[in-house]
């Protein structure tokens, strides 16, 4: 809904998708590459996978993604995060970057990192994500925050 209700979030979009796959004894091995821009956000994503794609939860994945934008508030709005306090969204100078890297078996757990960075703030988390069921995730992250201009 957020993307449909605000055309600025998707204007001037150009995405390249490349899918490479091959058969293996355990099913399918391949990767999906997504590169380009959506509404000013640069996207660079690689999702490698191996396993029986008919039972996706048993598929091993390796995900690396970087999203960056000159505007922190625009990037947040693209993820339907419109509850960022105005004081924060106006005070986070760009450019901003969001990176993720997770690897593992979907049915078991994915280990990896999530990081947000701007010229004055860095926030990162390292840990695991587990699927409880098709609707819920359980996650444990060790979080680190560093900021030049952070006051409570």
């Amino acid at each position: 809904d957020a993307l449909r209700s605000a055309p600025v979030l998707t204007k001037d979009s150009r995405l390249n998708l490349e899918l490479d796959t091959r058969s293996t004894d355990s099913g399918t091995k391949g990767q999906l590459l997504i590169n380009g821009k959506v509404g000013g956000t640069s996207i660079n994503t690689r999702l490698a996978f191996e396993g029986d794609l008919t039972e996706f939860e048993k598929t091993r994945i390796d995900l690396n993604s970087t999203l960056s934008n000159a505007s922190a508030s625009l990037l947040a709005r693209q993820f339907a995060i419109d509850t960022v306090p105005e004081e924060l969204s106006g005070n986070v100078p760009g450019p901003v970057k969001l990176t993720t890297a997770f690897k593992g078996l979907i049915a078991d757990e994915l280990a990896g990192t999530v990081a947000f960075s701007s010229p004055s703030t860095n926030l990162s988390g390292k840990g695991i994500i587990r699927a409880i069921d098709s609707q819920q995730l359980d996650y444990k992250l060790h979080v680190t925050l560093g900021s030049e201009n952070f006051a409570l």
Side-chain angles (χ1 to χ4, degrees):
D1 287 339
L3 296 177
R4 276 187 295 175
S5 64
V8 70
L9 301 180
T10 57
K11 74 175 188 174
D12 300 325
S13 297
R14 292 188 189 272
L15 282 178
N16 296 312
L17 293 113
E18 182 180 327
L19 177 63
D20 294 314
T21 64
R22 71 172 196 245
S23 294
T24 65
D25 291 339
S26 63
T28 303
K29 182 175 185 175
Q31 70 177 359
L32 173 64
L33 303 174
I34 304 170
N35 298 292
K37 282 195 172 192
V38 173
T41 295
S42 294
I43 299 170
N44 186 355
T45 299
R46 176 184 175 269
L47 173 62
F49 50 88
E50 184 171 6
D52 183 353
L53 297 182
T54 62
E55 296 183 75
F56 194 66
E57 68 279 357
K58 295 179 182 178
T59 302
R60 184 165 299 284
I61 67 165
D62 184 352
L63 170 69
N64 292 282
S65 184
T66 300
L67 307 174
S68 59
N69 195 308
S71 167
S73 61
L74 185 62
L75 183 59
R77 288 176 54 210
Q78 286 175 319
F79 282 94
I81 302 172
D82 55 3
T83 59
V84 176
E86 191 173 321
E87 309 83 52
L88 291 179
S89 64
N91 291 330
V92 178
V96 296
K97 185 187 298 186
L98 177 65
T99 59
T100 57
F102 282 92
K103 184 185 288 191
L105 190 62
I106 293 172
D108 185 19
E109 67 182 31
L110 301 175
T113 60
V114 176
F116 167 85
S117 63
S118 74
S120 63
T121 303
N122 291 301
L123 176 65
S124 64
K126 182 177 182 179
I128 58 170
I129 297 175
R130 289 188 186 105
I132 296 172
D133 56 36
S134 63
Q135 302 293 316
Q136 295 180 323
L137 295 175
D138 178 40
Y139 53 90
K140 293 179 184 175
L141 295 174
H142 297 279
V143 178
T144 304
L145 170 65
S147 181
E148 294 176 5
N149 304 327
F150 191 71
L152 295 175

